[in-house]
């Protein structure tokens, strides 16, 4: 894979006394020390990394760690104080104004946290903005804008204004605007952070779908490890303007570079956030008052399981039957499942955090039954699904 | 110690400066002719169109700008107000006042809007202009009459000049403010897609600054109108002249009717420009 963006020792210092601050940075003085001595704020401190063509590169870090500053140096909205940024082997920091404008038009587009749609423009005009700037004629740019809107799943809103759309829809427009200008690189600064969880998840899926078609190079800033793990081919973690670790999601999770990264990972410990309802799956079920062992057996075969959950006419959970016992019943020509019912199945309610169930889940071989207040069986929790959810491939739906 | 006792010769300096400036007669004559031509053009139009057509134009304009909020009270007010002015015999004075206001405002906008844009885009211009604008606005308007007469004689032109100076600040300020108020992320969005400065200005900054700018434009218009009485003292004809004469003759009735005519004109101009904002 070819390298798309190469950042070498890039530093950004805000404020006066730049020369002195630069020298202090080179002497590895801390951000606070430099602020105290010169009044200058170090935004980014000698960051180096490479981004390959067609990957999603996620930048993470606490507030103030320099993520926004860094991404804005990649399109030179903020000029770098020091260092090199190479795109196609061209050093951006050396370009003059015209060359920079040309590069922005050709190479990159940006999606913003608060959408940054132009309130005086309709949706179609917003999406066509990049092309309008490039001087494409109206018919051409609107045709392209339509394609982009379709790609993000927004048709028929052409003539509405941004304030008529929900946040999720507005960000689709923001994404469409970036896609319509046909640039290789997408810069996304916390693009999904202002969305509610449902919309956010939907947009993440959408982005992955679009990415599988278009193979852009995406630089994505996120606060949220789950999002980073889900989207990122590589993840870079920053603190106080410095790059602390860059790696694949697995590397970040399994070999955190230091305490800071470790805290980052544990901070989003999913077992605390996920509840029984998030990880439960649908079990094979049979109504004892309507069906006998043969139906139960067929049900198990269809669901590929070795046990079945038994309910009564009021949908109440009454126990579980094992496949071997049921086969025995069938062989003996017995009709009553009740004979082989196991009643000591562990149960829980849907709102219990996984954290509280963890130790029991790992010791009991029988899956938990999730019951509501009326003892209706909602689902069961199997070990595999719990671990899967903790590793990020949500079983939520 | 002397300096504390002796009066600083500031007044002398200013007088010398004014005298030095009056040496540029060619320049001032040029300006006088140019402004005079604009004013004459307006007055020529007002004298040309019959009164009924003037009514139709004003009411039609109001109808047009109010077409969205559908409040037609203003139309009735305009009809009655203009009839009153006509009935009082102040019609030509009213058009003369309108000429002063429109000429001044035209100049204010042509100079003030670009100046406001320049202030918004260039920090040092902003720093220089802020105190100048404060000065222009707080200096009593009377004071502008003196150099205006010195350079431009008497009549409509010095009235326009004094009004321009006095009415300029709101347009400049609000243009500057409106552009600065455009949210940063919209500016970033414009830049990140490769806009040139001009594209950014015309496609993003000015459209979004528009309603703030309109507030400044409206204020300038009102300030220009407020100069009519003052300007009448240096021979600018119009409703102000009628007020000024009434004061001289101690004629409260005439003063009131002329004053009321100014108020009517002010309300009409104010309401129409305010509706433009939306
Ligand atoms: N225009 C500026 N002038 C001075 N300091 C700035 C400026 N922009 C950013 N900074 C400083 O640079 C540092 C990095 O800021 P930046 O906005 O890049 O952080 P971030 O990682 O994006 O944070 P967040 O997660 O809150 O968006 C901060 O200490 C900030 O105060
Ligand atoms: Mg940020």
């Amino acid at each position: 894979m070819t390298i798309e963006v190469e950042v070498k020792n890039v530093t950004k210092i805000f404020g006066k006394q730049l020369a002195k601050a630069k020298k202090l940075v080179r002497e590895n003085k801390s951000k606070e020390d430099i602020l105290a001595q010169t009044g200058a704020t170090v935004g980014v401190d000698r960051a180096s990394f490479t981004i390959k063509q067609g990957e999603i590169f996620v930048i993470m870090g606490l507030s103030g760690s320099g993520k926004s500053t860094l991404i804005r140096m990649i399109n030179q909205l903020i000029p770098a104080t020091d260092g090199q940024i190479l795109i196609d082997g061209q050093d951006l920091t050396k370009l003059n104004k015209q060359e920079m404008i040309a590069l922005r038009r050709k190479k990159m587009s940006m999606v913003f946290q608060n959408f940054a749609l132009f309130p005086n423009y309709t949706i179609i005009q917003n999406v066509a903005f990049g092309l309008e700037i490039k001087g494409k004629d109206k018919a051409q740019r609107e045709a392209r804008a339509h394609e982009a809107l379709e790609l993000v799943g927004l048709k028929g809103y052409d003539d509405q204004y941004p304030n008529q759309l929900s946040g999720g829809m507005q960000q689709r427009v923001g994404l469409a605007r970036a896609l319509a200008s046909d640039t290789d690189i997408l810069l996304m600064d916390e693009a999904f952070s202002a969305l509610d969880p449902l919309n956010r998840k939907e947009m993440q899926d959408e982005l992955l779908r679009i990415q599988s078609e278009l193979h852009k190079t995406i630089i994505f800033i996120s606060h949220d490890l789950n999002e980073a793990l889900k989207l990122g081919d590589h993840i870079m973690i920053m603190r106080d303007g410095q790059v602390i670790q860059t790696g694949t999601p697995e590397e970040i999770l399994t070999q955190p570079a230091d305490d800071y990264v470790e805290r980052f990972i544990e901070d989003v410990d999913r077992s605390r956030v996920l509840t029984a309802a998030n990880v439960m799956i649908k079990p094979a079920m049979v109504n004892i008052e309507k069906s006998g062992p043969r139906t139960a057996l067929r049900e198990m075969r269809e669901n590929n399981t070795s046990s079945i959950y038994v309910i009564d006419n009021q949908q109440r959970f009454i126990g579980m039957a094992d496949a071997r016992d049921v086969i025995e019943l069938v062989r003996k020509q017995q009709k009553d499942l009740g004979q082989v019912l196991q009643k000591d199945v562990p149960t829980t309610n849907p709102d219990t955090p996984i954290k509280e169930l963890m130790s029991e889940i790992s010791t009991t071989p029988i899956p938990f039954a999730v019951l509501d207040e009326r003892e209706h069986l909602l689902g069961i929790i199997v070990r595999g699904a719990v671990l899967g959810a903790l590793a990020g491939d949500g079983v939520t739906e | 110690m002397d300096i504390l006792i002796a009066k600083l010769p500031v007044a002398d300096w200013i007088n010398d400066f004014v005298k030095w400036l009056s040496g540029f007669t060619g320049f001032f004559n040029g300006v006088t002719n140019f402004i005079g031509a604009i004013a004459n053009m307006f007055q020529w139009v007002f004298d040309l169109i019959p009164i009924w057509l003037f009514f139709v134009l004003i009411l039609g304009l109001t109808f047009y700008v109010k077409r969205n909020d559908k409040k037609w009270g203003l139309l009735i007010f305009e009809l009655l107000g203009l009839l009153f002015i006509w009935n009082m015999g102040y019609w030509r004075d009213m058009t003369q006042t309108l000429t002063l206001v429109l000429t001044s405002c035209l100049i204010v906008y042509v100079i003030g809007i670009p100046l406001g844009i320049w202030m918004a885009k260039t920090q040092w211009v902003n720093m220089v202009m802020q105190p100048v604008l404060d000065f222009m606005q707080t200096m009593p308007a009377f004071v502008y009459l003196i150099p205006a007469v010195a350079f431009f004689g008497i009549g409509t032109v010095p009235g326009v000049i004094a009004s321009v100076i006095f009415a300029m600040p709101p347009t400049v300020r609000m243009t500057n403010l409106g552009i600065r108020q455009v949210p940063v992320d919209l500016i970033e969005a414009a830049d990140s897609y490769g806009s040139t400065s001009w594209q950014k200005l015309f496609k993003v900054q000015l459209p979004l600054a528009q309603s703030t700018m309109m507030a400044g434009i409206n204020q300038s218009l009102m300030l220009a109108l407020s100069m009519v009485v003052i300007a009448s003292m240096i021979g600018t004809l119009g409703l102000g002249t009628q007020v000024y004469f009434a004061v001289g003759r101690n004629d409260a009735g005439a003063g009131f009717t002329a004053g009321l005519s100014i108020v009517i004109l002010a309300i009409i101009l104010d309401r129409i420009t305010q509706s433009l904002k939306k």
Side-chain angles (χ1 to χ4, degrees):
Chain A
M1 264 189 184
T2 49
I3 287 170
E4 181 91 277
V5 182
E6 189 169 8
V7 173
K8 288 185 188 168
N9 269 312
V10 161
T11 299
K12 176 68 198 184
I13 300 167
F14 293 102
K16 303 203 177 87
Q17 301 205 39
L18 283 185
K20 190 170 170 204
K22 248 199 273 193
K23 189 167 146 272
L24 292 175
V25 165
R26 252 180 266 121
E27 288 165 7
N28 294 322
K29 289 279 190 303
S30 77
K31 189 172 164 170
E32 294 93 77
D33 284 352
I34 297 174
L35 181 64
Q37 283 189 39
T38 64
T41 307
V42 179
V44 173
D45 180 358
R46 291 165 296 172
S48 295
F49 54 94
T50 55
I51 300 173
K52 298 207 186 78
Q53 195 186 3
E55 76 165 328
I56 302 185
F57 188 91
V58 180
I59 304 175
M60 293 192 68
L62 297 181
S63 189
S65 57
K67 308 180 295 291
S68 294
T69 308
L70 186 59
I71 206 171
R72 278 165 178 71
M73 286 195 286
I74 293 176
N75 63 359
Q76 293 282 294
L77 286 180
I78 297 179
T81 311
D82 210 359
Q84 289 179 301
I85 301 164
L86 301 166
I87 290 183
D88 291 343
Q90 218 181 358
D91 185 357
L92 299 195
T93 58
K94 303 233 158 47
L95 298 184
N96 66 28
K97 212 169 158 188
Q98 268 69 42
E99 291 169 325
M100 196 56 230
I101 285 176
L103 190 76
R104 284 177 187 153
R105 290 180 179 182
K106 193 174 98 203
K107 259 301 190 190
M108 38 206 172
S109 32
M110 195 160 183
V111 183
F112 296 83
Q113 178 169 5
N114 294 311
F115 324 138
L117 301 179
F118 302 111
N120 53 321
Y121 280 7
T122 60
I123 298 307
I124 193 82
Q125 288 171 331
N126 263 290
V127 175
F129 183 79
L131 298 169
E132 185 185 346
I133 290 298
K134 286 188 224 186
K136 289 263 173 2
D137 67 58
K138 192 164 181 240
Q140 229 177 344
R141 64 184 193 240
E142 295 204 338
R144 183 71 193 98
H146 271 123
E147 284 170 28
L149 276 173
E150 205 159 319
L151 196 59
V152 299
L154 258 193
K155 268 173 81 176
Y157 291 92
D158 287 18
D159 298 323
Q160 306 234 341
Y161 283 88
N163 63 6
Q164 294 173 287
L165 267 52
S166 71
M169 286 154 96
Q170 288 189 41
Q171 196 55 305
R172 279 167 202 269
V173 177
L175 185 57
R177 176 171 65 181
L179 295 173
S181 46
D182 287 318
T183 53
D184 305 335
I185 303 173
L186 289 193
L187 305 172
M188 305 179 74
D189 187 355
E190 301 202 29
F192 301 155
S193 301
L195 305 178
D196 62 71
L198 261 179
N199 262 311
R200 189 166 179 174
K201 185 175 174 306
E202 215 169 88
M203 284 300 280
Q204 291 163 355
D205 295 339
E206 200 89 311
L207 183 68
L208 288 174
R209 181 181 62 74
I210 291 168
Q211 174 66 351
S212 69
E213 282 177 42
L214 301 181
H215 309 290
K216 302 266 183 192
T217 304
I218 301 178
I219 306 175
F220 192 102
I221 291 180
S222 178
H223 255 125
D224 170 6
L225 184 65
N226 293 329
E227 187 169 71
L229 294 173
K230 181 169 173 183
L231 298 178
D233 295 308
H234 282 96
I235 296 174
M236 180 169 95
I237 298 190
M238 295 183 71
R239 177 187 55 205
D240 289 347
Q242 292 173 333
V243 173
I244 303 297
Q245 185 174 10
T246 312
T248 61
E250 286 78 10
E251 284 166 348
I252 301 281
L253 282 180
T254 54
Q255 306 149 34
D258 65 3
D259 294 355
Y260 177 77
V261 181
E262 228 160 70
R263 250 178 294 132
F264 236 100
I265 304 170
E266 83 180 14
D267 258 4
V268 254
D269 182 354
R270 288 188 194 76
S271 60
R272 234 173 298 187
V273 201
L274 294 180
T275 61
N278 290 137
V279 297
M280 68 189 184
I281 59 172
K282 253 179 89 98
M285 249 192 279
V286 67
N287 183 336
I288 194 167
E289 301 183 52
K290 288 199 181 118
S291 329
R294 273 172 200 285
T295 324
L297 210 51
R298 177 158 30 83
E299 198 69 21
M300 278 187 273
R301 216 174 290 130
E302 261 168 34
N303 282 289
N304 251 327
T305 58
S306 59
S307 55
I308 192 153
Y309 286 73
V310 183
I311 54 175
D312 64 14
N313 255 343
Q314 276 81 49
Q315 309 274 318
R316 273 194 312 247
F317 174 64
I318 52 174
M320 191 197 79
D322 195 84
R324 255 169 298 158
D325 298 336
V326 180
I327 292 169
E328 197 63 23
L329 277 184
V330 173
R331 217 163 19 128
K332 290 192 204 144
Q333 307 267 343
Q334 307 260 348
K335 292 269 189 275
D336 186 12
L337 270 176
Q339 291 178 29
V340 296
L341 212 56
Q342 300 177 29
K343 306 216 165 173
D344 57 343
V345 179
T347 63
T348 182
N349 68 40
D351 298 321
T352 317
I354 297 300
K355 183 111 186 158
E356 291 172 22
L357 301 171
M358 272 309 268
S359 61
E360 273 185 274
I361 287 174
S362 50
T363 51
T364 35
I366 313 169
F368 269 74
V370 183
L371 308 182
D372 66 12
E373 355 30 277
R374 288 172 304 170
E375 297 200 68
H376 291 173
L377 179 62
L378 301 175
I380 60 168
I381 302 177
V382 297
R383 247 169 90 187
V386 173
L387 297 179
L390 293 181
D393 37 279
V395 206
T396 12
E397 58 272 45
Chain B
M1 282 315 279
D2 273 2
I3 197 161
L4 293 182
I5 300 155
K7 194 162 136 193
L8 283 174
V10 177
D12 294 339
W13 296 339
I14 299 292
N15 284 335
D16 289 346
F17 179 65
V18 167
K19 201 179 283 166
W20 175 74
L21 276 179
S22 14
F24 297 90
T25 25
F27 171 73
F28 290 114
N29 284 341
V31 173
T32 307
N33 291 338
F34 181 67
I35 294 175
I38 300 175
N40 285 338
M41 187 217 29
F42 277 120
Q43 192 63 57
W44 179 73
V45 172
F46 290 137
D47 288 344
L48 193 72
I49 53 177
I51 293 179
W52 63 265
L53 183 58
F54 191 93
F55 273 83
V56 171
L57 290 176
I58 290 287
L59 292 175
L61 179 65
T62 310
F63 187 79
Y64 178 73
V65 299
K66 289 268 182 193
R67 68 196 178 285
N68 289 326
D69 54 338
K70 312 243 187 306
K71 295 204 186 88
W72 307 122
L74 182 59
L75 288 175
I76 296 165
F77 175 84
E78 284 174 349
L79 190 65
L80 296 177
L82 290 173
L83 277 174
F84 174 80
I85 293 173
W86 175 70
N87 177 257
M88 290 291 115
Y90 291 142
W91 191 261
R92 183 132 206 286
D93 304 284
M94 188 273 286
T95 62
Q96 284 169 333
T97 292
L98 207 51
T99 295
L100 171 75
V101 170
L102 293 181
T103 310
S104 312
C105 284
L106 188 69
I107 298 170
V108 163
Y109 302 152
V110 167
I111 298 174
I113 293 173
L115 198 57
I117 294 172
W118 196 22
M119 276 174 80
K121 294 218 161 196
T122 318
Q123 204 48 43
W124 71 261
V125 180
N126 187 41
M127 306 240 295
V128 172
M129 282 307 296
Q130 288 296 354
V132 174
L133 291 173
D134 290 337
F135 181 90
M136 282 164 76
Q137 222 170 359
T138 44
M139 179 63 98
F142 275 107
V143 179
Y144 297 130
L145 297 183
I146 305 162
V149 170
F151 302 137
F152 304 100
I154 57 166
T156 302
V157 174
V160 168
I161 298 283
S163 303
V164 165
I165 298 173
F166 187 63
M168 178 87 74
T171 295
V172 180
R173 268 192 222 283
M174 296 304 239
T175 303
N176 179 24
L177 182 71
I179 291 176
R180 283 172 188 269
Q181 271 176 345
V182 175
V184 208
D185 57 347
L186 295 185
I187 297 297
E188 284 192 329
D191 282 334
S192 69
Y193 284 92
S195 307
T196 62
S197 295
W198 289 111
Q199 284 178 321
K200 188 166 62 179
L201 182 67
F202 285 110
K203 291 181 195 298
V204 179
Q205 289 171 309
L206 285 181
L208 293 176
Q210 200 184 349
S211 68
T212 309
M213 284 167 69
M214 285 309 295
I217 282 173
N218 170 271
Q219 278 182 34
S220 287
L221 189 78
M222 290 299 107
L223 287 184
L225 192 62
S226 76
M227 281 294 285
V228 291
V229 178
I230 294 170
S232 69
M233 298 193 305
I234 53 172
T236 310
L237 297 177
L239 290 168
T241 320
Q242 299 299 335
V243 176
Y244 188 51
F245 284 173
V247 173
R249 288 190 317 248
N250 202 9
D251 182 347
F256 180 79
T257 51
L260 188 60
S261 301
I262 295 177
V263 172
I264 290 168
L265 189 61
I267 291 176
I268 294 175
L269 291 175
D270 179 57
R271 295 303 185 275
I272 291 179
T273 47
Q274 270 192 15
S275 315
L276 286 178
K277 214 180 328 187
K278 293 161 208 152

